[in-house]
Amino acid sequence: MAKILVVDDSDFMRVRCRQLLVGEGYDVVEAGNGQEAIDRYKESSPDLVMMDITMPVMDGITAVREIKKVDPKAKIIMCSALGQQATVLEAVKAGASDFVVKPFQADRVVAAIQKVLC
Amino acid sequence: MTVVSQDEKRFVIFNLSGENFGIGVDRVREVVNTPGIALVPSEDGLLEGIINLRGNVVPVMNAARLLGMDDKDPEDFASVVVVETGNEVVGFLVEKVVAVAPLEAEPVPSGGTANNVNAEAIEGIARMDEDQLVLLMNVDCLLKK
Amino acid sequence: MDNLNISKEDLKLFLEELDEQIEVMEEGFLTLEREGADPEVVSATFRAAHTVKGSSAAIGHQRMTALTHAMENVMDKIRQGELGTSSEVMNPLLKGLDLLRPFKQTLATNSDTDVDISQALQELRDVAERKPQDSASGPKSSGPMDVSESFMQRIHYAQEEGLVALEINVTLAPESIMPSVRAYQVYQAVASIGEILASDPTLNEIEDENVGTELKFWIITASGREAIRSAVAEVTDVTGVSVSPVKVPKDKEEADRAKPGGAAPSDEDTKSGAAAAIENRTVRVDVTVLDSLMNLIGELVIDRTRLGQLSAELSELAGVEDLASEVGRISNHLARITGFLQEEILKARMLPIEKLFKKFPRMVRDLSMKFNKPINFEVNGKDTELDRAVIEMLSDPLMHLLRNAIDHGLESPDERRAAGKTEEGNLTLSAYHSYNQIVVEVSDDGRGIDPQRVIESAVRKGVITPDRAKEITDREAIMLIFSPGFSTAEKVSEVSGRGVGLDVVRKNIDALGGRVDVESDLGRGTTFRIFLPLTLATVRALMVRAGGQTFAIPLNSVVETLRVDKRLIKSMRRQQVVTVRDMVVPIYRLESSIGLTRRRRSWNDTTAGENDHIYAVIVNGDGKTFGLVVDSLVGEQEIVIKSLGRLIGDVRGLAGATILGDGSLALILDIRGLTGAGWSKDTVAEVAG
């Protein structure tokens, strides 16, 4: 069973995300900001990271770069709001595999995860 | 009024208001017992409703009304005889199916049949178990209306 | 005869496989000869020869083994780039193939054969030993190109190295949320497969977010087309990928011939035969086939719903948690797959709306002259795809809306100038996706609709009562223009706005399961929006029980559901009514409203007990709002519409039937039809109680 690290500063978003992913049969690890994400990544080496962009302490883009330094093969999906096109593009250049747009549509999230994991 | 054949032929025999009726097995696709009929409004009352026959919507006609018999509440009617006519598949709601048996068709006697049955829809008669009379239905004629 | 070591059953398998491989080789050889050494085709044919060699050796068929071995050698040389794919090379291969057939025949009939393979073997060996420069390489035909010389030079060198130059065309979904990110992902995918010579848009343009829905790449690669296609198609929002070889003139002479006006081979020439079979990815399908596929998927949707219900029931039981969660997972998965399947079939039914939009510019131009109003007419989103049936039925409503906008919406040039607007009126027709809907919009920057004047007119025509007029909001007032009585025969130009046939527009859109909305800014303009479901075959409905059977009420007609205390039901002129948010709404028993008064108790379940309340579904059809009293509410569900059949024909108030998860049937109500002709108090004499 694939393990997914969910990074978001909003407790609510993490809970929603966890519900969705657990319902799809994934294991979920959580982190509340970019710095925590790097620590969690090292500890639990997840198969995939769902990364929010705007977060305190360390933002999503920086976290993508840092995680890629730790593990160049890391698979990361950005969780973006509408209108963050430039930022998402930057994240993809930094090594993110894909993105999904909030509010989440379950089908799309699942499709993106399946695509990236295979 | 024609007689289909002097030869023996198999019929599905069913009961309607105390009268026996027969439809040739070559026209009957199947008999559905206690079907879930979804009632459909019908001004002349000939249409009873629809049933689901393996994914197809099949109309169910009130056979008694079609035959011009006394209007009886079909509350206890429990079987649908599904027949094919032309390109259509239609069900007849009947009281109950009594038997499937070979019968020898005879012409309708000149005096007509009993019980005010719509004579046009009967194409012959037959005897069953010595004393019982079976009216043989002409399905196509019945549905032309 | 070779002494064969094979059982009857195995021989059957061997022959079947041989048949397949011969086909692969034949098609492949012809393609290679026509189009040059596409690596994908080369390896497919090489594998086929190799497979046949292996299996004929296994059964001890020496002549077949020798023949396919020689063919394999030639293919290997082509694979290594040592041989080209000119006719001189392909001829012996095809000849070898022609000899495999009689072998197959004699094996099948268990007869002997005196097929002589020595000459074919010799030719194959001769070809295999030829020097590379003897054989022509690259495709024989070439078309005009719009790429630069140096670009062509690089392609040419690449081909000599055994690589292929390909042109990749990618289409992004117009509703893609971040197209430049998608374009970048596509760029990455393409770059991982080959060397990108050029792209449109360029990488810089992509980074500047300057991206449309069409992307084009020219690359040099060793990968096959299918591999590229699937790598690119992986990227979300990519709706189409086509990969085609870049045709390069082989030498000076051919380059001259390839120039426009020269004796270049026509497109048909390059696309005939086996090449077309591989290259052409489209097939013609009868619409009835699509309809029947759609119906079958409808059945699947029903099963999926049933499975979902089962899984919910299971999860209520104790002691089967594991089983329940497994069934739940499978049911979720099935739901997703059927969803995808449904989407794919729907896509196959889609046509761009362009077909319909095409005819409007001319109409607008003519009307513009007739009314003496200069118009700047803009059309957007003509690539938006819609179900073909929807497109046909949209024609009249759109014509009405555009005509209305020109006649009543846009002012005369003088008026516009006085209002500080450009003399030229702006009229826009657009189509786009929004969530699960398609929106078609007619928008003008004219005078807008004055709610006050709409109210006055509506009262005058008896559409609403003076009392109601006092409490109506501006928005509700504007929506009155869709009411049937608002504007029929009488022309309503004095009302600053609309009317002619707007009720008809609404009727047509309703029939499509859609919804029409209007937004108007007084003095600034009016926008009509038509919301359409992506498909016509399924519809979301509220399921209810009434009179012992289940009914489906399409959600686009449902306003709300209420639980009403019986004591609050009042009688006005022998009609029972309830009050919903200060509005008095008549209520009718659902089953009597469609004329179903007969009861068959033995089949009925009597859910309507001695309760002190009733359930009412408030619906709206053609502007009439009323309540349907039901025994119970079942829930919302996606249903597949089935017709009642020719024998039954149209029944007032019914849109068809649907099969439920448990196999029983539910009638689908047509609320609009209910309020149409024949609707009278008499037919609904039996009211709620």
Side-chain angles (χ1 to χ4, degrees):
Chain A
M1 195 92 315
K3 192 192 291 175
I4 300 181
L5 171 59
V6 174
V7 190
D8 199 307
D9 56 327
S10 149
D11 293 344
F12 173 73
M13 285 308 295
R14 284 206 308 277
V15 169
R16 291 296 294 271
C17 209
R18 170 184 281 276
Q19 279 171 352
L20 169 65
L21 297 177
V22 169
E24 293 293 326
Y26 296 106
D27 282 342
V28 173
V29 191
E30 296 176 23
N33 62 53
Q35 186 56 50
E36 252 183 74
I38 297 162
D39 299 342
R40 276 307 103 70
Y41 194 93
K42 288 178 188 162
E43 283 164 29
S44 53
S45 43
D47 301 280
L48 176 78
V49 184
M50 303 275 297
M51 180 77 77
D52 186 26
I53 291 179
T54 326
M55 288 181 293
V57 189
M58 184 193 283
D59 67 55
I61 305 279
T62 317
V64 169
R65 294 207 177 94
E66 292 301 318
I67 288 177
K68 279 284 175 177
K69 275 184 206 161
V70 177
D71 176 7
K73 287 188 180 155
K75 291 171 175 169
I76 305 170
I77 293 178
M78 303 310 289
C79 305
S80 119
L82 277 170
Q84 287 188 305
Q85 176 155 261
T87 324
V88 172
L89 188 53
E90 205 180 323
V92 171
K93 280 198 220 163
S97 308
D98 205 346
F99 70 96
V100 288
V101 173
K102 295 185 207 174
F104 291 148
Q105 276 176 276
D107 288 5
R108 296 194 172 201
V109 173
V110 171
I113 289 174
Q114 285 173 346
K115 229 181 240 184
V116 172
L117 279 182
C118 71
Chain B
M1 221 129 318
T2 51
V3 180
V4 267
S5 155
Q6 292 296 338
D7 299 326
E8 276 197 346
K9 188 177 147 186
R10 291 175 72 80
F11 287 85
V12 172
I13 301 155
F14 55 87
N15 216 278
L16 266 181
S17 299
E19 206 76 40
N20 290 319
F21 291 89
I23 299 178
V25 285
D26 54 333
R27 302 302 301 275
V28 176
R29 188 184 264 202
E30 63 189 281
V31 175
V32 187
N33 287 315
T34 59
I37 298 185
L39 303 182
V40 174
S42 150
E43 269 169 35
D44 51 15
L46 297 179
L47 173 70
E48 195 64 25
I50 50 178
I51 56 170
N52 167 19
L53 199 66
R54 283 181 299 280
N56 293 309
V57 174
V58 172
V60 174
M61 311 299 286
N62 184 323
R65 286 225 179 101
L66 267 180
L67 287 163
M69 299 172 68
D70 294 343
D71 186 10
K72 185 188 165 190
D73 189 356
E75 191 170 307
D76 305 321
F77 288 18
S79 296
V80 171
V81 179
V82 180
V83 303
E84 286 178 51
T85 162
N87 293 324
E88 307 285 348
V89 176
V90 188
F92 290 117
L93 182 65
V94 304
E95 212 161 316
K96 70 170 190 250
V97 171
V98 196
V100 178
L103 294 176
E104 205 172 305
E106 297 167 20
V108 179
S110 51
T113 56
N115 210 349
N116 302 326
V117 171
N118 174 2
E120 276 174 43
I122 303 303
E123 60 182 8
I125 59 165
R127 291 185 197 284
M128 180 174 67
D129 305 336
E130 298 298 313
D131 58 339
Q132 297 235 34
L133 197 68
V134 179
L135 304 176
L136 306 180
M137 278 169 63
N138 181 335
V139 174
D140 300 315
C141 177
L142 200 57
L143 286 173
K144 263 197 193 101
K145 301 188 292 178
Chain C
M1 181 179 176
D2 302 87
N3 283 321
L4 299 186
N5 168 28
I6 186 167
S7 72
K8 224 175 175 175
E9 288 75 33
D10 289 352
L11 181 65
K12 187 164 166 275
L13 191 66
F14 174 83
L15 289 172
E16 276 173 15
E17 196 182 87
L18 181 60
D19 231 11
E20 280 171 33
Q21 307 296 1
I22 287 177
E23 250 174 63
V24 169
M25 283 190 272
E26 173 128 85
E27 191 171 288
F29 292 158
L30 294 173
T31 309
L32 293 174
E33 186 177 35
R34 219 175 293 275
E35 300 198 346
D38 182 326
E40 187 105 335
V41 183
V42 171
S43 45
T45 42
F46 174 80
R47 275 198 309 274
H50 183 78
T51 305
V52 177
K53 184 188 79 170
S55 43
S56 39
I59 64 165
H61 197 303
Q62 285 162 13
R63 280 179 292 173
M64 268 174 77
T65 313
L67 187 63
T68 44
H69 179 69
M71 289 166 72
E72 187 192 348
N73 276 344
V74 175
M75 286 311 302
D76 190 40
K77 290 265 161 68
I78 295 174
R79 202 170 57 146
Q80 304 293 336
E82 291 173 28
L83 273 181
T85 55
S86 64
S87 303
E88 298 95 272
V89 179
M90 302 322 282
N91 274 341
L93 284 170
L94 286 165
K95 205 177 269 177
L97 209 55
D98 292 341
L99 289 179
L100 284 180
R101 291 205 178 89
F103 281 134
K104 193 192 88 188
Q105 199 57 39
T106 55
L107 278 171
T109 55
N110 199 20
S111 60
D112 205 349
T113 175
D114 53 357
V115 176
D116 182 6
I117 62 167
S118 57
Q119 200 201 339
L121 276 182
Q122 193 52 51
E123 284 179 26
L124 283 164
R125 283 182 195 130
D126 286 351
V127 150
E129 275 153 30
R130 281 167 66 168
K131 297 278 179 296
Q133 61 264 34
D134 293 345
S135 57
S137 80
K140 292 204 306 182
S141 58
S142 51
M145 291 220 331
D146 53 354
V147 284
S148 71
E149 281 294 322
S150 69
F151 186 102
M152 295 207 301
Q153 210 54 54
R154 289 178 69 187
I155 292 174
H156 198 83
Y157 291 143
Q159 283 187 336
E160 285 181 350
E161 289 166 30
L163 301 171
V164 282
L166 299 175
E167 181 181 314
I168 308 171
N169 284 288
V170 183
T171 312
L172 291 179
E175 72 272 21
S176 174
I177 291 168
M178 299 186 181
S180 73
V181 178
R182 296 308 181 199
Y184 189 84
Q185 287 180 296
V186 171
Y187 194 98
Q188 279 184 322
V190 174
S192 72
I193 279 166
E195 183 196 348
I196 299 181
L197 296 177
S199 69
D200 176 22
T202 64
L203 191 53
N204 278 337
E205 284 169 333
I206 292 173
E207 289 177 1
D208 290 345
E209 300 179 21
N210 189 0
V211 173
T213 55
E214 300 292 331
L215 314 171
K216 212 184 236 299
F217 299 87
W218 291 271
I219 69 164
I220 288 174
T221 181
S223 301
R225 289 191 224 168
E226 204 39 59
I228 295 168
R229 206 192 313 273
S230 60
V232 172
E234 269 288 285
V235 176
T236 307
D237 290 344
V238 167
T239 54
V241 187
S242 72
V243 184
S244 53
V246 175
K247 304 271 164 72
V248 181
K250 211 169 58 209
D251 51 34
K252 182 80 178 61
E253 193 188 329
E254 240 184 69
D256 288 346
R257 269 192 281 132
K259 285 203 178 119
S266 71
D267 230 29
E268 279 78 4
D269 285 340
T270 61
K271 285 202 172 161
S272 61
I278 290 183
E279 202 169 21
N280 191 357
R281 299 265 158 192
T282 56
V283 289
R284 283 167 177 275
V285 178
D286 193 317
V287 179
T288 57
V289 174
L290 293 178
D291 284 344
S292 118
L293 275 174
M294 204 59 216
N295 281 338
L296 290 173
I297 289 177
E299 303 291 319
L300 211 52
V301 170
I302 292 163
D303 286 348
R304 168 187 92 185
T305 312
R306 180 67 192 127
L307 193 60
Q309 288 167 357
L310 258 181
S311 130
E313 283 164 28
L314 260 183
S315 65
E316 305 274 299
L317 298 178
V320 290
E321 288 81 6
D322 288 352
L323 186 64
S325 82
E326 181 66 14
V327 172
R329 234 194 310 278
I330 295 174
S331 146
N332 278 344
H333 188 244
L334 184 67
R336 213 158 48 233
I337 302 286
T338 38
F340 286 147
L341 201 55
Q342 207 170 6
E343 250 172 59
E344 291 300 317
I345 298 289
L346 283 180
K347 272 189 212 150
R349 292 179 54 93
M350 298 296 212
L351 282 180
I353 201 167
E354 183 176 12
K355 182 176 165 258
L356 174 62
F357 277 11
K358 267 201 308 227
K359 66 180 188 190
F360 294 129
R362 174 62 198 272
M363 186 191 100
V364 169
R365 179 196 155 274
D366 290 354
L367 286 173
S368 152
M369 294 173 87
K370 182 178 162 205
F371 290 104
N372 215 352
K373 296 175 181 174
I375 294 169
N376 169 34
F377 182 51
E378 216 177 280
V379 178
N380 298 320
K382 55 184 196 284
D383 295 336
T384 308
E385 295 194 324
L386 266 108
D387 194 296
R388 51 189 311 130
V390 181
I391 290 185
E392 278 157 28
M393 291 179 71
L394 261 185
S395 179
D396 281 353
L398 283 180
M399 213 131 74
H400 270 296
L401 290 179
L402 288 169
R403 192 184 295 272
N404 249 292
I406 297 167
D407 188 0
H408 307 298
L410 292 173
E411 316 89 327
S412 69
D414 293 344
E415 235 177 296
R416 288 182 66 87
R417 212 180 313 116
K421 296 180 184 179
T422 54
E423 281 189 19
E424 205 180 38
N426 289 299
L427 181 60
T428 314
L429 173 64
S430 337
Y432 55 91
H433 283 256
S434 169
Y435 299 97
N436 252 336
Q437 289 181 313
I438 285 161
V439 186
V440 182
E441 210 175 83
V442 174
S443 185
D444 67 59
D445 69 343
R447 56 172 71 96
I449 304 172
D450 184 347
Q452 221 35 59
R453 297 177 73 170
V454 172
I455 293 171
E456 284 162 23
S457 171
V459 171
R460 203 165 54 243
K461 291 175 179 133
V463 174
I464 55 168
T465 61
D467 284 347
R468 171 96 181 103
K470 281 181 202 133
E471 56 190 27
I472 200 166
T473 65
D474 281 1
R475 201 171 151 65
E476 285 170 329
I478 291 178
M479 289 306 281
L480 286 175
I481 61 174
F482 291 112
S483 309
F486 186 76
S487 60
T488 41
E490 186 189 356
K491 218 176 165 201
V492 284
S493 299
E494 84 273 11
V495 179
S496 66
R498 325 277 172 145
V500 183
L502 278 180
D503 57 325
V504 179
V505 169
R506 167 131 104 186
K507 225 177 242 173
N508 285 349
I509 303 302
D510 274 1
L512 289 170
R515 176 167 75 78
V516 57
D517 200 2
V518 57
E519 197 180 299
S520 187
D521 201 352
L522 192 57
R524 296 250 179 95
T526 306
T527 299
F528 284 91
R529 281 192 197 90
I530 298 172
F531 298 86
L532 295 164
L534 281 177
T535 171
L536 296 179
T538 64
V539 60
R540 283 203 74 78
L542 177 69
M543 310 302 288
V544 300
R545 300 273 306 168
Q549 53 191 45
T550 309
F551 293 87
I553 310 177
L555 276 190
N556 64 341
S557 311
V558 175
V559 180
E560 64 185 307
T561 56
L562 295 177
R563 186 171 181 272
V564 186
D565 191 315
K566 274 188 181 165
R567 284 167 300 182
L568 295 180
I569 301 174
K570 300 201 180 68
S571 237
M572 277 173 69
R573 287 183 232 109
R574 296 183 56 225
Q575 169 63 57
Q576 291 187 287
V577 298
V578 292
T579 308
V580 184
R581 271 187 272 293
D582 299 335
M583 206 165 109
V584 175
V585 175
I587 55 174
Y588 312 98
R589 282 213 62 86
L590 185 152
E591 65 272 29
S592 14
S593 77
I594 56 168
L596 207 55
T597 46
R598 291 165 297 150
R599 297 289 181 85
R600 183 181 286 127
R601 288 219 183 276
S602 54
W603 289 344
N604 287 358
D605 54 355
T606 45
T607 34
E610 299 305 308
N611 293 328
D612 51 3
H613 61 265
I614 56 151
Y615 287 102
V617 181
I618 308 299
V619 293
N620 187 300
D622 263 352
K624 287 198 190 75
T625 301
F626 55 99
L628 290 173
V629 177
V630 301
D631 295 339
S632 61
L633 303 169
V634 181
E636 264 180 52
Q637 193 175 314
E638 193 171 351
I639 57 168
V640 180
I641 303 174
K642 289 195 177 262
S643 117
L644 294 177
R646 238 173 351 124
L647 218 77
I648 299 183
D650 283 346
V651 180
R652 190 184 60 81
L654 293 185
T658 190
I659 299 172
L660 301 176
D662 62 359
S664 67
L665 286 165
L667 298 178
I668 305 169
L669 294 191
D670 168 21
I671 299 298
R672 200 170 50 79
L674 258 187
T675 62
W679 169 262
S680 74
K681 298 248 157 37
D682 298 341
T683 60
V684 290
E686 188 193 340
V687 291

